[in-house]
Amino acid sequence: MKKGTKILGASLLAGSLLFSSHSVMAIQGENPSEHAFDNKVIKRIDVEKIYQNLSHLAVNIGPRVAGTQSEQTTVDYITSKFKEYGLNEVEVQPFQFIKDYKHPSSVSLKVNGRNYETAAFRFSNNTPSGGVSAELVYAGLGTTAEVAHASVEGKIALIKRGTIPFTEKMDNAKKAGAIGVVFINTDNSTPLFSLPANESNLPVLFMKKSDGDELISSLQGNNLTANMSVEGAEFVKATSHNVIATKKPMKNKDTNQIIIVGAHHDSVSVSSGASDNASGTSIVLELARVLENAPSDTEIRFITFGAEENGLLGSKHYAQSLTKDEINRTVAMFNMDMVGSKNAGEFAMFTYDGKPNTVTTLGNSAGTRLYDAIPYNQIGRSDHQPFTEVGIPAAVFTYAPLEPEYHTAKDTIELISKEKLLKTAQVLGAAVYQAARPDTPALERSNVAPVPVEAEYDEDLHL
């Protein structure tokens, strides 16, 4: 089957998740036993346990910056809770990341012997000692077509700012074989800009508009040689961790499928991260506790990710470490991010590509049964994105619009809503159980088996 178009196997074929014609009214009927199926999970969810874990993360530990001792303390705590809840297969997955950058000690640009004032981009790579000398070529705005037309291979590309991001321009030049990039600003300043924290970046400098325009004019019909030097830059590395707890399916019912339930455990440095994201982490722990003893025909992996705030690094590392077989067998990734603030908006789902998938249908079906329908829209910026990029259906659950305390010191436990924590845990617990529980003919013939309800796209839904 084509990547991104998976259909759940034995666990949902009877309900035909993606092709059911059941209406919302069929789910919201007056049948007094309509929640009997979900009660197997939601009755066991204890919001006080969620709050206790949240309090420990946000108050006892506080800011949980990736690569610090406080993150290690967080990882140890999460690992101990998974084991306390009966999940014996717990893996701590370390990964290195670039935590900081020491700016170059010297940068220079000479063209035909003349020095130009420049500034290095943050996370620019170094040139070899003494710099690199090569032909300078003008590549317009740095689009794929323009760098190809400029024949930048083995040369230094001169590129104007505008239209597309600096990163995309650099990547286009790099793929075309450039050995360095000089960006031209739209005014006569050279402010500090940043590239992604990646050691494979090119050496990248920034110059004033007046100087850049002069060079573009000089290149008309002439060959110019540039010497570009970036020296003393240093990428400062640290280690972060993902924590993975696996619940195996019943041996005689195994569908060979995998469901992932995840949230990031790190926070920004200025915040205790009560909502962002001790809330999501604590619900992952509670769902692990509740579902550990629930019968299932599907493997469930409960994961907390490190270094989300550094660019989704933990989830990227994990998703890219999966084998092709694991990717093909993973039918849903449920992500939670900022699901606890009193000051946030309404319950919502977001997919990276803006398309509905297995997760949005399961989430909306559970939401409709227990509370109300859950709309979805498009956004990345959280740990569902790397899973979509490798071909796994994924969505993030949050409350939109986000609370105004986002990424500030005011994201504290005093603003946590137990009602929102409980709603999130119940909806995701019911959604995961719908997909993971073993099928029986008796259940499928009953009046309590959940039926799918496709989620609706809400164009006005924004973070």
Side-chain angles (χ1 to χ4, degrees), residues 180-195:
V181 173
V182 180
F183 287 124
I184 303 169
N185 201 5
T186 52
D187 60 33
N188 287 329
S189 66
T190 53
L192 180 64
F193 284 99
S194 185
L195 299 169

Side-chain angles (χ1 to χ4, degrees), residues 39-54:
N39 284 343
K40 295 176 183 293
V41 170
I42 66 173
K43 290 284 190 182
R44 295 191 60 221
I45 292 172
D46 187 341
V47 73
E48 294 303 325
K49 290 186 183 298
I50 299 173
Y51 191 79
Q52 287 164 13
N53 282 327
L54 191 157

Side-chain angles (χ1 to χ4, degrees), residues 363-414:
N364 186 54
S365 301
T368 303
R369 292 194 303 273
L370 302 179
Y371 291 93
D372 41 40
I374 310 173
Y376 79 96
N377 201 304
Q378 180 177 9
I379 204 165
R381 293 168 42 192
S382 192
D383 290 315
H384 61 300
Q385 178 177 331
F387 291 90
T388 303
E389 290 173 334
V390 299
I392 293 171
V396 61
F397 292 76
T398 188
Y399 288 83
L402 298 179
E403 60 267 26
E405 298 80 18
Y406 168 63
H407 279 190
T408 73
K410 295 180 180 179
D411 178 9
T412 62
I413 196 165
E414 287 77 18

Side-chain angles (χ1 to χ4, degrees), residues 48 69 94 109 111 154 319 341-342 376 385 402:
E48 294 303 325
Q69 181 55 51
L109 177 69
V111 181
S341 176
K342 295 175 183 177
Y376 79 96
Q385 178 177 331
L402 298 179

Side-chain angles (χ1 to χ4, degrees), residues 216-233:
I216 293 171
S217 178
S218 298
L219 282 167
Q220 303 300 317
N222 298 304
N223 290 332
L224 300 181
T225 299
N227 180 275
M228 178 183 189
S229 176
V230 180
E231 296 186 3

Side-chain angles (χ1 to χ4, degrees), residues 8-17 257 358 362 434-435 437 439 450:
L8 284 172
S11 62
L12 279 174
L13 280 177
S16 190
L17 175 63
Q257 295 177 329
T358 303
L362 284 165
Q434 179 179 349
R437 54 95 175 136
D439 293 294

Side-chain angles (χ1 to χ4, degrees), residues 63-73 97 99 238-241:
R64 302 171 302 282
V65 176
T68 64
Q69 181 55 51
S70 64
E71 192 210 5
Q72 183 62 60
T73 302
F97 70 103
K99 184 180 179 183
T239 300
S240 184
H241 303 82

